Amino acid sequence: GDASRKYLAAKEKLVWRVYPFEPDMKALAHELFRERLEDLLGCEEGECSDAINRCLASLFGPGESNVRLLKRAMSICDVLESTGYFMGSCDDPRRIATLENVLALSGKVVRDTMRSGSDEADHNDSRGQSFVEHFMEASSSEGLAALPFIERYLKHGQVAESETIVAELREFQVAYHPEGAAAQRADASISRWQHRSFQNSDIPVIVEDIASSIIPPSDGGLSFDRYRDALEVLYGIQKCIPDQNVGVQDVVSNMKRAIDAEPEAALSSVEHGIICWQAGGFPKSMERIGAIDELREYICQKSLSSSVDAARSILEKPEGLRPSDIISVINGERGLTRSAYVLTSLNPELAARKLAECSNEGVHEVHSAILSSKTRAMMLHADEGAAVREWLLAFAEAIEPSSASELANRDVLEWIRGNIWEMLGVPREDQQEEPSGPKVGGLAPRDGGQEV
């Protein structure tokens, strides 16, 4: 372009002679960053040399020769140092491998940022990818999704709380550098398939390693975060070697049993994962695996069933009802639809009868919850909105203020019933004039209320 021609013209006039120089980047990186890594690991000079060499090697991309890039990528150590997570980890291969991953991902983020918009970047994005290249790109995307503190810092200059970073590092380490023997064997076999470092005779061992690792993660099984990787390998083997007895459906059934054992951990994996569970920003370029969609829905439904069971058990307790416990279960759900589903799973007649037996504090809690923005949002925006309106109407119809022994509770129950009718737009000609309600504390105003 014009800029290149101008530069070459200026160079010809101003530069007398150009000497080619190709620095030894590995030696330079060692000289520049060795002490920084020693401080991060808490070791003396000359100690942990193997670990430090592996960490520095993980920084480099193919043909890397940009010292500014390496320096910027290594700045992630400022964040890591404040957590103390890697202090004293020289003899812990799982934590060292995690640090290698963090540095490699930091290098990728900085490389992509520095090269964004260049002709080279456009060219690389447009060319066809081999299987290994495709896997490496997907793996980096998933790693950055699992460790969001890296991009937050390198792209936006934001530093997350140390506790948040440590939690992300621990979850990543459990998933990608497992402790259990079965999970380790499966992880190694998955890696051999993904990096194409196996022989055909190794296929039965790869299948067996993966199949035997599908037990609850707390028992040393493969992390839920790796279920897509495991199924991708098995489906790939089934496609490439049709006569190989892979037994994918048996593996999927075992995955469901592992989910049954630890539903909340499985749900956490779904919420934090993007690529592995094919949700949210799952890239269209990747092959979609039907079993993963099935497992994701199974996990969400399983977790939801746990919340339903918890709310019902609270409502059905023979002793006095504590409405705040049920309200916490409903509000603790992720998303309006899930909260609405838990609410409508309860028996409205039983809830109304138990409410009449509650303490004054409990009755006021229900009133605030009924008028909360959460309830109104469930009615209007949740997929279960119509069911919420039907439930509230049945609840209001079942309320019997006269059954409450406490005078104050009778008035509040009457007020709750009237508020629900008003929210639902139900005309009631025989409805008595509602009491004005207490003027001090407790009850939310008619036009809103604080979410409990």
Side-chain angles (χ1 to χ4, degrees):
D2 292 340
S4 297
R5 285 193 294 273
K6 290 179 180 179
Y7 171 76
L8 290 174
K11 180 179 177 182
E12 183 180 356
K13 294 176 182 176
L14 301 176
V15 179
W16 175 251
R17 185 171 295 173
V18 176
Y19 295 94
F21 171 68
E22 185 174 345
D24 184 339
M25 293 299 292
K26 291 185 178 180
L28 183 59
H30 194 275
E31 183 67 26
L32 292 174
F33 308 125
R34 173 183 53 79
E35 290 185 9
R36 188 60 191 277
L37 286 174
E38 287 175 346
D39 291 340
L40 183 65
L41 298 174
C43 60
E44 299 294 332
E45 182 178 354
E47 292 181 343
C48 306
S49 57
D50 289 342
I52 289 174
N53 287 337
R54 291 200 307 274
C55 289
L56 289 174
S58 67
L59 279 170
F60 292 91
E64 192 63 68
S65 60
N66 191 323
V67 178
R68 289 186 298 117
L69 185 153
L70 298 179
K71 184 178 180 181
R72 176 60 178 154
M74 279 296 292
S75 70
I76 198 69
C77 291
D78 293 336
V79 177
L80 299 176
E81 203 166 56
S82 65
T83 67
Y85 185 77
F86 294 102
M87 182 65 66
S89 60
C90 283
D91 296 326
D92 187 339
R94 296 173 61 232
R95 272 198 288 172
I96 292 297
T98 300
L99 178 56
E100 291 179 53
N101 293 145
V102 172
L103 296 178
L105 291 170
S106 299
K108 175 177 170 52
V109 170
V110 175
R111 257 190 313 276
D112 291 349
T113 301
M114 293 180 71
R115 294 172 181 173
S116 62
S118 69
D119 293 339
E120 179 184 358
D122 293 340
H123 172 71
N124 287 339
D125 288 340
S126 62
R127 64 185 172 86
Q129 287 185 318
S130 69
F131 175 91
V132 176
E133 289 171 324
H134 173 79
F135 152 68
M136 295 298 290
E137 186 65 30
S139 178
S140 295
S141 298
E142 190 164 324
L144 290 170
L147 299 170
F149 76 88
I150 296 175
E151 287 190 299
R152 279 202 299 265
Y153 176 70
L154 293 175
K155 283 189 172 182
H156 311 293
Q158 300 172 351
V159 180
E161 295 289 334
S162 292
E163 294 80 3
T164 301
I165 297 173
V166 168
E168 291 173 6
L169 289 168
R170 282 177 178 162
E171 290 177 4
F172 181 89
Q173 183 171 305
V174 168
Y176 294 95
H177 304 291
E179 186 174 9
Q184 288 179 356
R185 289 193 297 271
D187 177 69
S189 287
I190 289 171
S191 180
R192 291 169 70 189
W193 174 266
Q194 291 172 331
H195 289 92
R196 290 302 193 255
S197 58
F198 64 90
Q199 295 179 333
N200 289 350
S201 59
D202 297 326
I203 294 296
V205 174
I206 291 176
V207 173
E208 174 58 26
D209 284 346
I210 292 174
S212 61
S213 74
I214 308 304
I215 56 178
S218 62
D219 294 337
L222 195 67
S223 166
F224 295 122
D225 293 342
R226 306 299 304 280
Y227 275 15
R228 178 187 161 84
D229 288 340
L231 287 175
E232 195 170 37
V233 173
L234 297 180
Y235 278 120
I237 292 173
Q238 195 173 58
K239 179 180 178 180
C240 298
I241 313 176
D243 59 348
Q244 178 70 43
N245 183 20
V246 176
V248 175
Q249 290 309 312
D250 290 340
V251 170
V252 173
S253 296
N254 288 337
M255 287 177 168
K256 289 182 178 180
R257 280 192 279 273
I259 290 165
D260 290 343
E262 301 178 16
E264 290 307 312
L267 181 63
S268 177
S269 173
V270 168
E271 289 180 327
H272 297 151
I274 296 176
I275 291 177
C276 64
W277 292 108
Q278 302 175 165
F282 179 76
K284 295 179 180 179
S285 61
M286 292 185 68
E287 181 180 356
R288 198 167 195 94
I289 297 176
I292 284 294
D293 289 332
E294 177 187 346
L295 287 169
R296 187 184 67 245
E297 293 305 314
Y298 184 83
I299 288 170
C300 292
Q301 189 60 42
K302 186 71 180 180
S303 171
L304 195 53
S305 297
S306 297
S307 295
V308 168
D309 292 343
R312 285 177 175 172
S313 66
I314 295 169
L315 181 61
E316 294 168 3
K317 280 182 179 179
E319 61 269 20
L321 173 67
R322 285 169 48 91
S324 60
D325 293 341
I326 295 180
I327 293 168
S328 294
V329 173
I330 293 171
N331 286 343
E333 279 304 317
R334 293 92 164 173
L336 293 174
T337 295
R338 290 174 61 91
S339 293
Y341 187 88
V342 175
L343 173 66
T344 57
S345 70
L346 301 175
N347 184 317
E349 289 79 15
L350 178 60
R353 187 170 71 251
K354 286 293 190 75
L355 181 60
E357 303 169 1
C358 279
S359 67
N360 185 256
E361 180 185 8
V363 176
H364 280 254
E365 288 171 344
V366 171
H367 182 267
S368 295
I370 291 294
L371 292 183
S372 71
S373 58
K374 180 71 169 278
T375 301
R376 295 175 185 273
M378 285 194 293
M379 290 170 53
L380 297 174
H381 305 298
D383 294 339
E384 301 282 337
V388 172
R389 291 189 289 273
E390 291 177 8
W391 190 94
L392 288 172
L393 181 59
F395 176 68
E397 294 285 358
I399 290 176
E400 288 290 345
S402 61
S403 64
S405 59
E406 293 289 338
L407 175 63
N409 286 0
R410 295 177 195 171
D411 287 346
V412 179
L413 289 171
E414 184 68 47
W415 203 11
I416 290 174
R417 184 169 63 178
N419 287 155
I420 293 174
W421 284 338
E422 183 178 328
M423 287 169 61
L424 298 175
V426 177
R428 291 284 166 175
E429 295 180 358
D430 59 343
Q431 184 180 340
Q432 296 180 356
E433 183 178 352
E434 297 177 10
S436 59
K439 297 184 180 298
V440 180
L443 296 178
R446 283 182 173 275
D447 60 350
Q450 293 183 355
E451 185 172 333
V452 178

